[in-house]
Amino acid sequence: MRIAIDVRLVSYAQGGISQYTIRLVRALVGLQSGDELLLLESRKAPTGQFWPAAVRRSRLATPPHHPREQIALPIELLRLPADVLHSPDFIPPFRRRCRSVVTIHDLAFLRFPHLLTPDSGRYYGQVARAVQSADQVIAVSHATKRDLLELLSVDPEKVTVVHSGVSPECRPLEPEEIEHRRRELGLPERFILFVGTLEPRKNLPTLLRAFARVWKAHRVPLVVVGGKGWLNEELFRVREELGLGEEVKFVGSVAAQQLVYYYNCATCLVLPSLYEGFGHPVLEAMACGTPAIVSNVPSLTEIAGDAALSVGPEDAEELAAAMGRLLADGGLRQRLIGLGLQRAAAFSWEQTARETLGVYHKAVQGSR
């Protein structure tokens, strides 16, 4: 079987979908299934930066999310015969000569349409047509599958839940290395960590309101890792209103390997999102031996299970209390560390790749 995978987004943005794509491709290569992989990358992509050398690649001129993508991309694909095309970034080419698989990471843009920029609204507004057009749909969680059925009335028979994996790089480090990395990164002895793009559904204003209470009681700072997204004016307005300065450190985006150091050095991770499709940071933190607090939205409780504390996403007082408990109760921290390591061990990219390969075969066999 010849499998084409659209990896153009990887060259433009290093967010969650790009990391999903990179990890999946590497794991598919590792399976050595006998199927042929063809990566459709951007013409502007640095050659070989992300992919194993043996994987075939074809460079495309059409940028991802371009307004004329649905015109230009099908024309480019005419010269690239494939049995199935996987579109990890939601939207496939609607005109094509092969079977189609799309990955739906979340439907936040349908749950919270007011949190989108106009450009994002235009692109992701095609999702209803995308899931109807695709031969098979991958949902990264059961929560996302339920949203697909409820919001878009997708045929449940063509939706397969395939959980993402956790990178083997995410692991507990030795105490000596943790201290070395702490000094190298200029991190305090204890701190609360947030990881994610600075965008409205991550609920950072509520986190700041809860943190302000915790700071008064414990004097443990907050470190925010993640690039600026969109519509984040309220976040910085709340920080100013609360008088939070050096107590909150924004470090921007960091490379995947460096992120492992932040997880290992942190006292706890807090992910109070209003909505997630999967929630990679909580899984990565648990794999590094870092206890986590998550909002009680369906996807995060699905992934974390009983290995993390869960709170109402808009209850700053409850969130502050949970952070206070983890900072003060060493026994609770150790229990969650143990549970988190066990939970994270159940997620691997090899398993993700095997299940995804099964979806490809299902898409192709359904056409015969």
Side-chain angles (χ1 to χ4, degrees):
M1 184 171 61
R2 182 175 294 158
I3 303 161
I5 304 178
D6 186 347
V7 302
R8 291 173 299 143
L9 186 68
V10 170
S11 303
Y12 285 81
Q14 285 300 297
I17 296 175
S18 292
Q19 290 303 313
Y20 164 90
T21 305
I22 292 168
R23 300 295 183 188
L24 175 62
V25 168
R26 290 175 179 173
L28 285 168
V29 172
L31 291 182
Q32 298 182 333
S33 66
D35 298 298
E36 180 182 347
L37 287 182
L38 173 63
L39 305 186
L40 309 179
E41 65 180 357
S42 168
R43 184 173 60 185
K44 297 181 179 180
T47 303
Q49 181 177 0
F50 303 107
W51 317 115
V55 182
R56 285 187 58 212
R57 302 190 301 276
S58 181
R59 299 168 79 81
L60 303 181
T62 308
H65 295 211
H66 193 276
R68 292 192 173 89
E69 183 178 49
Q70 289 297 337
I71 299 172
L73 184 59
I75 294 172
E76 288 201 89
L77 295 182
L78 288 175
R79 63 182 174 83
L80 300 170
D83 296 303
V84 61
L85 168 64
H86 183 187
S87 302
D89 188 20
F90 291 84
I91 311 299
F94 298 131
R95 291 180 296 132
R96 56 183 183 270
R97 291 182 172 179
C98 63
R99 300 295 98 184
S100 169
V101 173
V102 299
T103 297
I104 303 298
H105 300 271
D106 64 72
L107 293 178
F109 44 88
L110 297 183
R111 291 289 189 192
F112 305 96
H114 60 289
L115 302 183
L116 284 180
T117 64
D119 285 344
S120 293
R122 175 192 53 77
Y123 180 77
Y124 293 111
Q126 305 173 95
V127 71
R129 185 177 178 186
V131 296
Q132 295 302 328
S133 168
D135 297 283
Q136 291 292 317
V137 177
I138 293 172
V140 297
S141 65
H142 291 283
T144 296
K145 180 174 181 176
R146 287 193 295 271
D147 279 353
L148 281 164
L149 304 187
E150 176 188 343
L151 299 175
L152 296 175
S153 302
V154 185
D155 177 2
E157 292 300 314
K158 75 173 187 180
V159 182
T160 303
V161 175
V162 180
H163 285 140
S164 298
V166 61
S167 168
E169 297 168 355
C170 292
R171 69 194 189 284
L173 302 177
E174 294 297 327
E176 295 79 7
E177 183 171 6
I178 292 174
E179 288 310 309
H180 169 69
R181 298 300 179 182
R182 190 188 307 280
R183 291 192 298 270
E184 180 181 69
L185 297 170
L187 295 170
E189 188 68 26
R190 303 176 79 207
F191 65 92
I192 299 163
L193 177 66
F194 168 87
V195 175
T197 304
L198 310 189
E199 57 166 294
R201 69 183 173 94
K202 300 299 183 178
N203 200 25
L204 280 162
T206 300
L207 174 57
L208 291 188
R209 293 185 180 101
F211 169 74
R213 303 180 185 207
V214 173
W215 173 255
K216 291 178 183 177
H218 296 276
R219 298 292 169 174
V220 175
L222 171 67
V223 174
V224 176
V225 174
K228 287 187 178 181
W230 53 90
L231 303 178
N232 49 39
E233 295 82 2
E234 183 188 3
L235 163 64
F236 296 102
R237 178 179 58 78
V238 169
R239 181 183 65 166
E240 186 174 345
E241 288 176 356
L242 294 172
L244 296 172
E246 295 301 315
E247 303 92 339
V248 182
K249 181 179 181 181
F250 291 88
V251 299
S253 299
V254 302
Q257 181 54 55
Q258 195 175 50
L259 184 55
V260 173
Y261 306 147
Y262 280 90
Y263 285 132
N264 271 271
C265 292
T267 305
C268 65
L269 173 87
V270 182
L271 193 63
S273 304
L274 297 171
Y275 180 99
E276 290 284 350
F278 186 82
H280 288 91
V282 64
L283 190 60
E284 293 167 348
M286 292 191 301
C288 290
T290 302
I293 301 168
V294 299
S295 58
N296 58 8
V297 298
S299 58
L300 292 180
T301 54
E302 174 184 335
I303 300 307
D306 63 355
L309 297 182
S310 63
V311 299
E314 299 184 85
D315 190 333
E317 186 174 347
E318 184 183 13
L319 178 56
M323 288 190 285
R325 286 179 63 199
L326 270 184
L327 293 174
D329 189 339
L332 174 62
R333 287 191 72 255
Q334 289 305 313
R335 181 173 71 82
L336 290 180
I337 288 171
L339 290 172
L341 288 169
Q342 292 176 21
R343 182 70 177 171
F347 296 81
S348 75
W349 279 108
E350 179 182 350
Q351 183 64 24
T352 301
R354 290 189 186 282
E355 294 178 12
T356 301
L357 189 63
V359 176
Y360 297 158
H361 281 274
K362 187 176 180 181
V364 172
Q365 291 164 1
S367 67
R368 293 172 179 166

